[in-house]
């Protein structure tokens, strides 16, 4: 086992399968075999303290599954996630102080609770303050920190705009004094202008509080703005990892290239767009060898046979040979 690096989150050989078979009796009647979705296979990377590690990949590539495993909402079938103790806030119940901000803040906030109760809940559960006066002061501080007004504490989630609701969700995440926050598409449901405000808020809080983010977005412009490093997932496997500027300037895996080429480019006044070609195969019966080979423009024989390992940050027989 690798030694634990200081101040980081270590994702080690994480795999996750979902059994989506019919019941035994229905399988006997229909003659259908067991069906297992391979949502994640051998996922391995580190998140350094204070950085924003972004995960990108098409729908169904396993981003949310990994996010849920990292925060402990879901168990891994293989491997483990090790969170450095300096990022962990020890909870009364022994859990880890990792918080998650979801795409739809309305669904993740209790609609029957006022904001003050939503924000107070982690503080109470974790016994972070000594008395009611301190609790009240802490709630005001947190609301101010995320750009809300102390008067907002009496409001219910439905009385806010989408952007404000996401601010409440961020205040709740910070209330637990977590230093590591997992954000799954935190701004995808918001208007572009509001999206920028929330992203700027997250960056400001990261600087102020030294937060570490695992950030998921399908919007590559957002990823470029937020991330320090990026991991590219394809059918549940990491195919490439890189520093954000390096990866955008010089993607090496054919899938990363395809993904980035699908983003509209403004080139000398001309907007050029090349689409993503082919469809993502089924994770129930993934192609043999490199799962990307049926869509890959540069696939060689070996790609149909052997699963490429992540060597020098890229898992591709062709890129690794060149
Ligand atoms: N609870 C579940 N039961 C069965 N299959 C699941 C479950 N959760 C996820 N999956 C499957 O695992 C794969 C990965 O799903 P996941 O939600 O992690 O993808 P994603 O990258 O977050 O996609 P999106 O961009 O659409 O949010 C998909 O094939 C999905 O159908
Ligand atoms: Mg998802």
């Amino acid at each position: 086992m690798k030694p634990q690096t200081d101040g980081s989150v270590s994702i080690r050989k994480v795999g996750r399968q979902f059994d989506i078979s019919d019941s035994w009796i229905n399988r006997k009647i229909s003659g259908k075999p067991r069906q297992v979705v391979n949502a994640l296979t051998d996922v391995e990377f580190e998140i350094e303290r204070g950085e924003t590690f972004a995960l990108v990949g098409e729908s169904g590539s396993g981003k949310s599954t990994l996010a849920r495993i990292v925060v402990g909402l879901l168990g891994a079938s293989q491997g483990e996630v090790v969170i450095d103790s300096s990022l962990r806030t020890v909870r009364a119940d022994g859990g880890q102080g990792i918080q998650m901000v979801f795409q739809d803040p309305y669904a993740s906030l209790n609609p029957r609770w006022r904001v003050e109760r939503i924000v107070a809940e982690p503080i109470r559960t974790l016994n972070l303050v000594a008395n009611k006066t301190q609790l009240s002061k802490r709630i005001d501080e947190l609301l101010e920190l995320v750009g809300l007004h102390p008067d907002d504490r009496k409001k219910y989630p439905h009385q806010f705009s989408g952007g404000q609701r996401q601010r409440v969700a961020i205040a709740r995440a910070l209330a637990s004094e977590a230093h590591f926050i997992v954000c799954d598409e935190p701004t995808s449901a918001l208007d572009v202008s509001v999206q920028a405000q929330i992203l700027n808020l997250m960056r400001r809080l990261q600087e102020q509080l030294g937060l570490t983010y695992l950030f998921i977005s399908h919007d590559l412009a957002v990823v470029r703005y937020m991330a320090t490093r990026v991991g590219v997932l394809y059918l549940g496997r990491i195919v490439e990892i890189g520093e954000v500027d390096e990866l955008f300037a010089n993607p090496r895996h054919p899938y990363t290239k395809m993904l980035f080429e699908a983003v509209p480019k403004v080139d000398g006044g001309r907007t050029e767009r090349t689409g993503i070609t082919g469809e993502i195969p089924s994770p129930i019966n993934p192609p043999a060898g490199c799962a990307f080979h049926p869509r890959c423009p540069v696939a060689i024989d070996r790609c149909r046979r052997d699963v490429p390992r992540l060597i020098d940050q890229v898992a591709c027989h062709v890129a690794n040979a060149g």
Side-chain angles (χ1 to χ4, degrees), residues 18 20 37 39 57-66 68 185 283:
F18 292 105
I20 53 160
V37 176
E58 285 160 285
S59 184
S61 56
K63 305 180 296 294
S64 297
T65 303
L66 186 59
R68 290 169 65 214
E185 305 272 8

Side-chain angles (χ1 to χ4, degrees), residues 12-225:
R12 297 174 182 170
K13 296 257 173 225
V14 165
R16 171 76 207 203
Q17 295 84 42
F18 292 105
D19 190 334
I20 53 160
S21 317
D22 277 352
S23 67
W24 175 82
I25 188 79
N26 282 343
R27 270 185 283 130
K28 285 286 155 204
I29 296 166
S30 66
K32 277 194 206 149
R34 223 172 231 299
Q35 292 210 302
V36 176
V37 176
N38 276 305
L40 295 170
T41 312
D42 275 347
V43 172
E44 193 156 53
F45 61 88
E46 308 255 327
I47 307 171
E48 301 301 327
R49 189 179 186 141
E51 84 161 330
T52 301
F53 190 99
L55 280 175
V56 301
E58 285 160 285
S59 184
S61 56
K63 305 180 296 294
S64 297
T65 303
L66 186 59
R68 290 169 65 214
I69 290 173
V70 171
V71 289
L73 286 171
L74 188 74
S77 310
Q78 296 85 28
E80 58 177 354
V81 176
V82 180
I83 317 271
D84 188 90
S85 54
S86 61
L87 284 176
R88 184 186 301 161
T89 50
V90 179
R91 259 171 33 182
D93 61 2
Q96 290 169 352
I98 309 162
Q99 292 293 320
M100 190 149 173
V101 176
F102 296 92
Q103 173 171 0
D104 179 1
Y106 198 51
S108 67
L109 301 173
N110 189 330
R112 287 184 297 268
W113 285 9
R114 293 182 198 273
V115 162
E116 57 184 3
R117 185 165 173 201
I118 292 172
V119 177
E121 198 224 20
I123 306 176
R124 282 209 197 97
T125 323
L126 306 177
N127 272 323
L128 296 174
V129 295
N131 54 46
K132 277 199 169 162
T133 321
Q134 276 186 18
L135 178 64
S136 180
K137 199 168 146 240
R138 185 80 187 116
I139 294 168
D140 283 347
E141 275 170 11
L142 284 162
L143 293 182
E144 198 185 331
L145 199 58
V146 299
L148 291 171
H149 195 269
D151 293 348
D152 289 330
R153 25 186 313 162
K154 295 287 172 207
K155 292 188 190 162
Y156 291 95
H158 74 265
Q159 294 173 291
F160 290 99
S161 68
Q164 286 173 321
R165 274 200 288 273
Q166 203 56 296
R167 288 176 196 267
V168 174
I170 294 169
R172 182 186 55 181
L174 296 174
S176 69
E177 297 180 10
H179 287 100
F180 176 45
I181 300 184
V182 176
C183 316
D184 192 355
E185 305 272 8
T187 60
S188 315
L190 305 173
D191 285 350
V192 177
S193 62
V194 181
Q195 189 175 18
Q197 289 169 17
I198 298 294
L199 296 174
N200 286 332
L201 170 69
M202 289 181 58
R203 280 181 58 150
R204 176 169 63 73
L205 292 171
Q206 180 171 44
E207 254 172 54
Q208 262 179 319
L209 308 170
L211 304 175
T212 305
Y213 292 136
L214 173 60
F215 188 90
I216 294 170
S217 177
H218 66 268
D219 185 334
L220 293 173
V222 167
V223 167
R224 192 163 197 177
Y225 182 63

